[in-house]
Amino acid sequence: MQSSSLPATDLMRWSLNRHMPAVVWISGLPASGKTSLATALELRLLNMGFHAIALDESLIDARLSQSSAHRAMLDKAALLFHAGQVVVISMISPTRKERILSRSFFPKMLFYEVYLDAPELVCAERDLHHRYSNKGEIIVSSRQACPIRYEPHRNAEMSLDVVGLSVRECVEELVVMLTDGGCLDRREMQRSTEELELPP
C-alpha cells in the first residue's frame, strides 16, 4: 500500500474513530518479550477507548515459508489498518529486508518500528524452544531451513531496553510515541482516562 493513494473510504472510516490507524511493528530476538509487550499495549489502548488489536507470528500457518509467513502477516495487518485499527505486531523480523518491506506497506507517518533491545544471553536463557545456537545464530521458526544471524536495526522509531524497563514502563513509552507521532490525540486520551475512572 502506498501512502499517496489512500482510498476515500479509508479516510471516511478513520474519521469515525477517535484516533488515526497505525502499525506498531515490534521485533527483536526470540524470547525478548515481543508477545508480552504487544498484548500489554493492546490492552492499554483498548482500556483507553481506542481500537487496537495484537497480531503474533504464532498465528501464521507453520507450513508457510518464512517469506510467505511475513507476507501473510503484512496482508492481515493491512486489512486491519484499512479498517482503522492500531495494529500491534510481534514478529522476530530478523532481516533488514523484511523490515524495509514491512515499512513500505504503510504510510510513513503511521508505521512505527520498535526494537526490543535485549542481550542474546538473556534471551537464550528465557527461550523454551531452543532457537539459539552456540555460533550466535538463531532459528526463527520451523519454517526456516538453517540458522541465521539477527541483523541490527538502523531506522527503528523506538528501541526499548527490555531488561532495564518493566513491561508497563515499555507500554507507556509506546503510548507517548503514538501520541507524539499524531496517532493518538492528547484530548481524547484525557477523555478516555476520565471515562475509565470509577465513581467514588
Side-chain angles (χ1 to χ4, degrees):
M1 182 182 70
Q2 300 299 321
S3 58
S4 59
S5 58
L6 289 172
T9 50
D10 276 2
L11 300 177
M12 294 171 63
R13 191 178 297 111
W14 299 351
S15 69
L16 299 176
N17 292 340
R18 302 193 320 200
H19 60 86
M20 291 293 288
V23 172
V24 181
W25 198 286
I26 302 174
S27 59
L29 289 168
S32 57
K34 298 178 296 298
T35 301
S36 297
L37 181 56
T39 304
L41 177 59
E42 174 193 34
L43 183 59
R44 177 78 166 96
L45 294 172
L46 289 172
N47 281 336
M48 295 168 68
F50 299 126
H51 302 283
I53 186 168
L55 296 178
D56 187 77
E57 62 185 316
S58 64
L59 299 173
I60 304 299
D61 191 338
R63 294 170 295 181
L64 296 178
S65 67
Q66 182 63 26
S67 60
S68 296
H70 180 248
R71 183 57 192 246
M73 179 65 85
L74 283 173
D75 289 341
K76 290 177 183 291
L79 182 64
L80 293 163
F81 175 86
H82 280 297
Q85 298 274 339
V86 177
V87 188
V88 186
I89 294 169
S90 51
M91 196 166 194
I92 296 173
S93 304
T95 67
R96 294 191 189 99
K97 182 180 179 180
E98 280 191 14
R99 299 192 291 263
I100 290 172
L101 177 59
S102 302
R103 187 180 291 275
S104 71
F105 251 60
F106 304 96
K108 181 178 180 181
M109 300 304 294
L110 298 175
F111 181 88
Y112 302 85
E113 181 183 324
V114 178
Y115 170 55
L116 299 195
D117 186 5
E120 184 176 316
L121 286 176
V122 172
C123 294
E125 289 177 358
R126 294 176 178 174
D127 185 41
L128 301 178
H129 302 287
H130 310 291
R131 290 171 290 187
Y132 288 87
S133 75
N134 56 9
K135 298 179 181 179
E137 297 171 323
I138 58 173
I139 295 289
V140 176
S141 73
S142 58
R143 297 181 277 267
Q144 184 181 330
C146 58
I148 61 173
R149 289 189 178 274
Y150 192 96
E151 297 177 0
H153 287 246
R154 291 179 175 173
N155 301 306
E157 277 68 29
M158 179 169 286
S159 178
L160 291 170
D161 174 9
V162 292
V163 175
L165 296 172
S166 66
V167 172
R168 181 170 184 172
E169 289 171 326
C170 288
V171 166
E172 294 311 313
E173 290 283 340
L174 294 176
V175 169
V176 170
M177 177 189 72
L178 290 170
T179 306
D180 291 345
C183 173
L184 306 182
D185 189 295
R186 294 184 188 278
R187 293 167 298 179
E188 293 294 350
M189 288 176 65
Q190 178 62 31
R191 193 171 90 179
S192 298
T193 302
E194 292 172 352
E195 289 173 353
L196 284 170
E197 290 178 353
L198 296 175

PDB file of all heavy atoms in Angstrom, residues 23 25 31 33 40 45-46 49 51-52 61 63 65 80 83-84 86 88 92 95 99 106 148 156 161 178 200:
ATOM      1  N   VAL A  23       0.431   1.115  12.567  1.00  0.00           N
ATOM      2  CA  VAL A  23       1.034  -0.206  12.714  1.00  0.00           C
ATOM      3  C   VAL A  23       2.251  -0.061  13.614  1.00  0.00           C
ATOM      4  O   VAL A  23       3.154   0.726  13.319  1.00  0.00           O
ATOM      5  CB  VAL A  23       1.449  -0.805  11.355  1.00  0.00           C
ATOM      6  CG1 VAL A  23       2.245  -2.092  11.563  1.00  0.00           C
ATOM      7  CG2 VAL A  23       0.217  -1.072  10.498  1.00  0.00           C
ATOM      8  N   TRP A  25       5.164  -2.233  14.758  1.00  0.00           N
ATOM      9  CA  TRP A  25       5.807  -3.498  14.432  1.00  0.00           C
ATOM     10  C   TRP A  25       6.914  -3.757  15.450  1.00  0.00           C
ATOM     11  O   TRP A  25       7.986  -3.192  15.383  1.00  0.00           O
ATOM     12  CB  TRP A  25       6.391  -3.444  13.023  1.00  0.00           C
ATOM     13  CG  TRP A  25       6.691  -4.803  12.446  1.00  0.00           C
ATOM     14  CD1 TRP A  25       7.727  -5.614  12.791  1.00  0.00           C
ATOM     15  CD2 TRP A  25       5.961  -5.484  11.430  1.00  0.00           C
ATOM     16  NE1 TRP A  25       7.685  -6.773  12.060  1.00  0.00           N
ATOM     17  CE2 TRP A  25       6.607  -6.725  11.216  1.00  0.00           C
ATOM     18  CE3 TRP A  25       4.810  -5.180  10.689  1.00  0.00           C
ATOM     19  CZ2 TRP A  25       6.158  -7.651  10.278  1.00  0.00           C
ATOM     20  CZ3 TRP A  25       4.365  -6.100   9.762  1.00  0.00           C
ATOM     21  CH2 TRP A  25       5.030  -7.319   9.551  1.00  0.00           C
ATOM     22  N   ALA A  31      12.352 -14.661  22.289  1.00  0.00           N
ATOM     23  CA  ALA A  31      12.251 -14.611  23.754  1.00  0.00           C
ATOM     24  C   ALA A  31      12.686 -13.270  24.332  1.00  0.00           C
ATOM     25  O   ALA A  31      13.064 -13.194  25.503  1.00  0.00           O
ATOM     26  CB  ALA A  31      13.041 -15.744  24.403  1.00  0.00           C
ATOM     27  N   GLY A  33      10.548 -10.786  24.566  1.00  0.00           N
ATOM     28  CA  GLY A  33       9.359 -10.227  25.209  1.00  0.00           C
ATOM     29  C   GLY A  33       8.388  -9.549  24.265  1.00  0.00           C
ATOM     30  O   GLY A  33       7.536  -8.775  24.703  1.00  0.00           O
ATOM     31  N   ALA A  40       0.190  -6.372  26.064  1.00  0.00           N
ATOM     32  CA  ALA A  40       0.005  -5.331  27.080  1.00  0.00           C
ATOM     33  C   ALA A  40      -0.354  -3.997  26.439  1.00  0.00           C
ATOM     34  O   ALA A  40      -1.203  -3.255  26.962  1.00  0.00           O
ATOM     35  CB  ALA A  40       1.276  -5.192  27.921  1.00  0.00           C
ATOM     36  N   LEU A  45      -4.394   0.247  25.144  1.00  0.00           N
ATOM     37  CA  LEU A  45      -5.123   1.080  24.179  1.00  0.00           C
ATOM     38  C   LEU A  45      -6.619   0.817  24.236  1.00  0.00           C
ATOM     39  O   LEU A  45      -7.425   1.746  24.163  1.00  0.00           O
ATOM     40  CB  LEU A  45      -4.593   0.832  22.769  1.00  0.00           C
ATOM     41  CG  LEU A  45      -3.147   1.284  22.508  1.00  0.00           C
ATOM     42  CD1 LEU A  45      -2.678   0.819  21.143  1.00  0.00           C
ATOM     43  CD2 LEU A  45      -3.020   2.799  22.629  1.00  0.00           C
ATOM     44  N   LEU A  46      -7.006  -0.448  24.379  1.00  0.00           N
ATOM     45  CA  LEU A  46      -8.433  -0.772  24.493  1.00  0.00           C
ATOM     46  C   LEU A  46      -9.032  -0.145  25.750  1.00  0.00           C
ATOM     47  O   LEU A  46     -10.150   0.385  25.723  1.00  0.00           O
ATOM     48  CB  LEU A  46      -8.621  -2.292  24.516  1.00  0.00           C
ATOM     49  CG  LEU A  46      -8.358  -3.040  23.207  1.00  0.00           C
ATOM     50  CD1 LEU A  46      -8.399  -4.544  23.439  1.00  0.00           C
ATOM     51  CD2 LEU A  46      -9.347  -2.632  22.130  1.00  0.00           C
ATOM     52  N   GLY A  49     -10.003   3.308  25.311  1.00  0.00           N
ATOM     53  CA  GLY A  49     -11.097   3.568  24.381  1.00  0.00           C
ATOM     54  C   GLY A  49     -10.697   3.614  22.928  1.00  0.00           C
ATOM     55  O   GLY A  49     -11.484   4.046  22.086  1.00  0.00           O
ATOM     56  N   HIS A  51      -9.299   1.706  19.287  1.00  0.00           N
ATOM     57  CA  HIS A  51      -9.424   0.434  18.572  1.00  0.00           C
ATOM     58  C   HIS A  51      -8.040  -0.135  18.321  1.00  0.00           C
ATOM     59  O   HIS A  51      -7.239   0.462  17.606  1.00  0.00           O
ATOM     60  CB  HIS A  51     -10.147   0.638  17.238  1.00  0.00           C
ATOM     61  CG  HIS A  51     -11.516   1.227  17.378  1.00  0.00           C
ATOM     62  ND1 HIS A  51     -12.604   0.482  17.789  1.00  0.00           N
ATOM     63  CD2 HIS A  51     -11.981   2.492  17.183  1.00  0.00           C
ATOM     64  CE1 HIS A  51     -13.675   1.255  17.831  1.00  0.00           C
ATOM     65  NE2 HIS A  51     -13.326   2.477  17.475  1.00  0.00           N
ATOM     66  N   ALA A  52      -7.745  -1.284  18.902  1.00  0.00           N
ATOM     67  CA  ALA A  52      -6.421  -1.878  18.768  1.00  0.00           C
ATOM     68  C   ALA A  52      -6.533  -3.392  18.739  1.00  0.00           C
ATOM     69  O   ALA A  52      -7.459  -3.972  19.305  1.00  0.00           O
ATOM     70  CB  ALA A  52      -5.524  -1.450  19.934  1.00  0.00           C
ATOM     71  N   ASP A  61       0.270 -19.730   9.652  1.00  0.00           N
ATOM     72  CA  ASP A  61       0.377 -21.160   9.334  1.00  0.00           C
ATOM     73  C   ASP A  61       1.843 -21.599   9.306  1.00  0.00           C
ATOM     74  O   ASP A  61       2.655 -21.055   8.550  1.00  0.00           O
ATOM     75  CB  ASP A  61      -0.266 -21.401   7.960  1.00  0.00           C
ATOM     76  CG  ASP A  61      -0.443 -22.880   7.639  1.00  0.00           C
ATOM     77  OD1 ASP A  61       0.266 -23.707   8.237  1.00  0.00           O
ATOM     78  OD2 ASP A  61      -1.286 -23.196   6.779  1.00  0.00           O
ATOM     79  N   ARG A  63       3.163 -24.053   8.071  1.00  0.00           N
ATOM     80  CA  ARG A  63       3.575 -24.716   6.836  1.00  0.00           C
ATOM     81  C   ARG A  63       4.124 -23.727   5.805  1.00  0.00           C
ATOM     82  O   ARG A  63       4.730 -24.144   4.815  1.00  0.00           O
ATOM     83  CB  ARG A  63       2.392 -25.484   6.236  1.00  0.00           C
ATOM     84  CG  ARG A  63       1.921 -26.661   7.097  1.00  0.00           C
ATOM     85  CD  ARG A  63       0.619 -27.226   6.578  1.00  0.00           C
ATOM     86  NE  ARG A  63      -0.472 -26.255   6.703  1.00  0.00           N
ATOM     87  CZ  ARG A  63      -1.732 -26.501   6.347  1.00  0.00           C
ATOM     88  NH1 ARG A  63      -2.050 -27.692   5.855  1.00  0.00           N
ATOM     89  NH2 ARG A  63      -2.669 -25.579   6.478  1.00  0.00           N
ATOM     90  N   SER A  65       6.521 -20.821   4.131  1.00  0.00           N
ATOM     91  CA  SER A  65       7.930 -20.442   4.194  1.00  0.00           C
ATOM     92  C   SER A  65       8.055 -19.141   4.973  1.00  0.00           C
ATOM     93  O   SER A  65       7.052 -18.440   5.210  1.00  0.00           O
ATOM     94  CB  SER A  65       8.493 -20.250   2.784  1.00  0.00           C
ATOM     95  OG  SER A  65       7.879 -19.123   2.166  1.00  0.00           O
ATOM     96  N   LEU A  80      -6.517  -4.799   8.626  1.00  0.00           N
ATOM     97  CA  LEU A  80      -6.932  -4.166   9.877  1.00  0.00           C
ATOM     98  C   LEU A  80      -6.590  -2.683   9.900  1.00  0.00           C
ATOM     99  O   LEU A  80      -7.338  -1.872  10.464  1.00  0.00           O
ATOM    100  CB  LEU A  80      -6.272  -4.894  11.054  1.00  0.00           C
ATOM    101  CG  LEU A  80      -6.759  -6.332  11.255  1.00  0.00           C
ATOM    102  CD1 LEU A  80      -5.796  -7.105  12.148  1.00  0.00           C
ATOM    103  CD2 LEU A  80      -8.158  -6.343  11.846  1.00  0.00           C
ATOM    104  N   ALA A  83      -9.137  -0.777   8.185  1.00  0.00           N
ATOM    105  CA  ALA A  83     -10.355  -0.704   8.995  1.00  0.00           C
ATOM    106  C   ALA A  83     -10.239   0.306  10.130  1.00  0.00           C
ATOM    107  O   ALA A  83     -11.199   0.530  10.854  1.00  0.00           O
ATOM    108  CB  ALA A  83     -10.685  -2.082   9.562  1.00  0.00           C
ATOM    109  N   GLY A  84      -9.064   0.907  10.289  1.00  0.00           N
ATOM    110  CA  GLY A  84      -8.897   1.958  11.288  1.00  0.00           C
ATOM    111  C   GLY A  84      -8.307   1.523  12.604  1.00  0.00           C
ATOM    112  O   GLY A  84      -8.326   2.275  13.580  1.00  0.00           O
ATOM    113  N   VAL A  86      -5.381   0.304  15.406  1.00  0.00           N
ATOM    114  CA  VAL A  86      -3.965   0.363  15.742  1.00  0.00           C
ATOM    115  C   VAL A  86      -3.513  -1.096  15.824  1.00  0.00           C
ATOM    116  O   VAL A  86      -3.927  -1.830  16.718  1.00  0.00           O
ATOM    117  CB  VAL A  86      -3.714   1.087  17.087  1.00  0.00           C
ATOM    118  CG1 VAL A  86      -2.218   1.045  17.428  1.00  0.00           C
ATOM    119  CG2 VAL A  86      -4.206   2.519  17.020  1.00  0.00           C
ATOM    120  N   VAL A  88      -0.883  -3.940  16.412  1.00  0.00           N
ATOM    121  CA  VAL A  88       0.357  -4.164  17.153  1.00  0.00           C
ATOM    122  C   VAL A  88       0.872  -5.550  16.795  1.00  0.00           C
ATOM    123  O   VAL A  88       0.248  -6.556  17.142  1.00  0.00           O
ATOM    124  CB  VAL A  88       0.136  -4.056  18.676  1.00  0.00           C
ATOM    125  CG1 VAL A  88       1.466  -4.136  19.405  1.00  0.00           C
ATOM    126  CG2 VAL A  88      -0.591  -2.753  19.022  1.00  0.00           C
ATOM    127  N   ILE A  92       9.598 -11.664  14.940  1.00  0.00           N
ATOM    128  CA  ILE A  92      11.052 -11.577  15.063  1.00  0.00           C
ATOM    129  C   ILE A  92      11.645 -10.670  14.000  1.00  0.00           C
ATOM    130  O   ILE A  92      12.498  -9.830  14.295  1.00  0.00           O
ATOM    131  CB  ILE A  92      11.683 -12.978  15.003  1.00  0.00           C
ATOM    132  CG1 ILE A  92      11.228 -13.807  16.212  1.00  0.00           C
ATOM    133  CG2 ILE A  92      13.215 -12.881  15.000  1.00  0.00           C
ATOM    134  CD1 ILE A  92      11.653 -15.261  16.161  1.00  0.00           C
ATOM    135  N   THR A  95      15.659  -9.899   9.453  1.00  0.00           N
ATOM    136  CA  THR A  95      16.451  -9.273   8.392  1.00  0.00           C
ATOM    137  C   THR A  95      15.977  -7.860   8.086  1.00  0.00           C
ATOM    138  O   THR A  95      14.797  -7.536   8.231  1.00  0.00           O
ATOM    139  CB  THR A  95      16.390 -10.104   7.102  1.00  0.00           C
ATOM    140  OG1 THR A  95      15.045 -10.072   6.581  1.00  0.00           O
ATOM    141  CG2 THR A  95      16.792 -11.549   7.359  1.00  0.00           C
ATOM    142  N   ARG A  99      12.124  -5.963   7.290  1.00  0.00           N
ATOM    143  CA  ARG A  99      11.677  -4.747   7.975  1.00  0.00           C
ATOM    144  C   ARG A  99      11.434  -3.608   6.990  1.00  0.00           C
ATOM    145  O   ARG A  99      10.503  -2.816   7.161  1.00  0.00           O
ATOM    146  CB  ARG A  99      12.689  -4.375   9.054  1.00  0.00           C
ATOM    147  CG  ARG A  99      12.836  -5.471  10.122  1.00  0.00           C
ATOM    148  CD  ARG A  99      13.599  -5.014  11.333  1.00  0.00           C
ATOM    149  NE  ARG A  99      15.000  -4.786  11.097  1.00  0.00           N
ATOM    150  CZ  ARG A  99      15.973  -5.660  11.358  1.00  0.00           C
ATOM    151  NH1 ARG A  99      15.673  -6.862  11.836  1.00  0.00           N
ATOM    152  NH2 ARG A  99      17.230  -5.353  11.151  1.00  0.00           N
ATOM    153  N   PHE A 106       2.906   0.692   4.404  1.00  0.00           N
ATOM    154  CA  PHE A 106       2.019   1.605   5.121  1.00  0.00           C
ATOM    155  C   PHE A 106       2.503   3.049   4.988  1.00  0.00           C
ATOM    156  O   PHE A 106       3.689   3.292   4.722  1.00  0.00           O
ATOM    157  CB  PHE A 106       1.962   1.208   6.605  1.00  0.00           C
ATOM    158  CG  PHE A 106       1.545  -0.213   6.810  1.00  0.00           C
ATOM    159  CD1 PHE A 106       2.496  -1.223   6.993  1.00  0.00           C
ATOM    160  CD2 PHE A 106       0.207  -0.568   6.793  1.00  0.00           C
ATOM    161  CE1 PHE A 106       2.121  -2.550   7.160  1.00  0.00           C
ATOM    162  CE2 PHE A 106      -0.182  -1.896   6.959  1.00  0.00           C
ATOM    163  CZ  PHE A 106       0.771  -2.887   7.138  1.00  0.00           C
ATOM    164  N   ILE A 148      20.236 -18.334  11.179  1.00  0.00           N
ATOM    165  CA  ILE A 148      20.703 -17.070  10.597  1.00  0.00           C
ATOM    166  C   ILE A 148      21.089 -16.122  11.735  1.00  0.00           C
ATOM    167  O   ILE A 148      20.736 -16.340  12.891  1.00  0.00           O
ATOM    168  CB  ILE A 148      19.622 -16.398   9.721  1.00  0.00           C
ATOM    169  CG1 ILE A 148      18.379 -16.067  10.574  1.00  0.00           C
ATOM    170  CG2 ILE A 148      19.250 -17.276   8.548  1.00  0.00           C
ATOM    171  CD1 ILE A 148      17.354 -15.251   9.833  1.00  0.00           C
ATOM    172  N   ALA A 156      14.758   2.138  13.384  1.00  0.00           N
ATOM    173  CA  ALA A 156      13.603   1.934  14.263  1.00  0.00           C
ATOM    174  C   ALA A 156      13.174   3.249  14.906  1.00  0.00           C
ATOM    175  O   ALA A 156      14.014   4.059  15.313  1.00  0.00           O
ATOM    176  CB  ALA A 156      13.937   0.909  15.332  1.00  0.00           C
ATOM    177  N   ASP A 161      14.923  -0.837  26.068  1.00  0.00           N
ATOM    178  CA  ASP A 161      15.779  -1.676  26.908  1.00  0.00           C
ATOM    179  C   ASP A 161      14.868  -2.532  27.783  1.00  0.00           C
ATOM    180  O   ASP A 161      14.454  -2.116  28.864  1.00  0.00           O
ATOM    181  CB  ASP A 161      16.683  -0.800  27.762  1.00  0.00           C
ATOM    182  CG  ASP A 161      17.510  -1.603  28.762  1.00  0.00           C
ATOM    183  OD1 ASP A 161      17.504  -2.849  28.675  1.00  0.00           O
ATOM    184  OD2 ASP A 161      18.135  -0.990  29.640  1.00  0.00           O
ATOM    185  N   LEU A 178       3.157   7.035  20.182  1.00  0.00           N
ATOM    186  CA  LEU A 178       1.974   7.147  19.331  1.00  0.00           C
ATOM    187  C   LEU A 178       1.326   8.516  19.451  1.00  0.00           C
ATOM    188  O   LEU A 178       0.778   9.048  18.478  1.00  0.00           O
ATOM    189  CB  LEU A 178       0.970   6.051  19.695  1.00  0.00           C
ATOM    190  CG  LEU A 178       1.374   4.624  19.315  1.00  0.00           C
ATOM    191  CD1 LEU A 178       0.420   3.609  19.951  1.00  0.00           C
ATOM    192  CD2 LEU A 178       1.387   4.447  17.802  1.00  0.00           C
ATOM    193  N   PRO A 200     -16.777   7.402  42.985  1.00  0.00           N
ATOM    194  CA  PRO A 200     -16.407   7.132  44.378  1.00  0.00           C
ATOM    195  C   PRO A 200     -17.467   6.308  45.098  1.00  0.00           C
ATOM    196  O   PRO A 200     -18.619   6.315  44.735  1.00  0.00           O
ATOM    197  CB  PRO A 200     -16.258   8.538  44.962  1.00  0.00           C
ATOM    198  CG  PRO A 200     -17.094   9.422  44.084  1.00  0.00           C
ATOM    199  CD  PRO A 200     -17.014   8.822  42.698  1.00  0.00           C
TER     200      PRO A 200
END
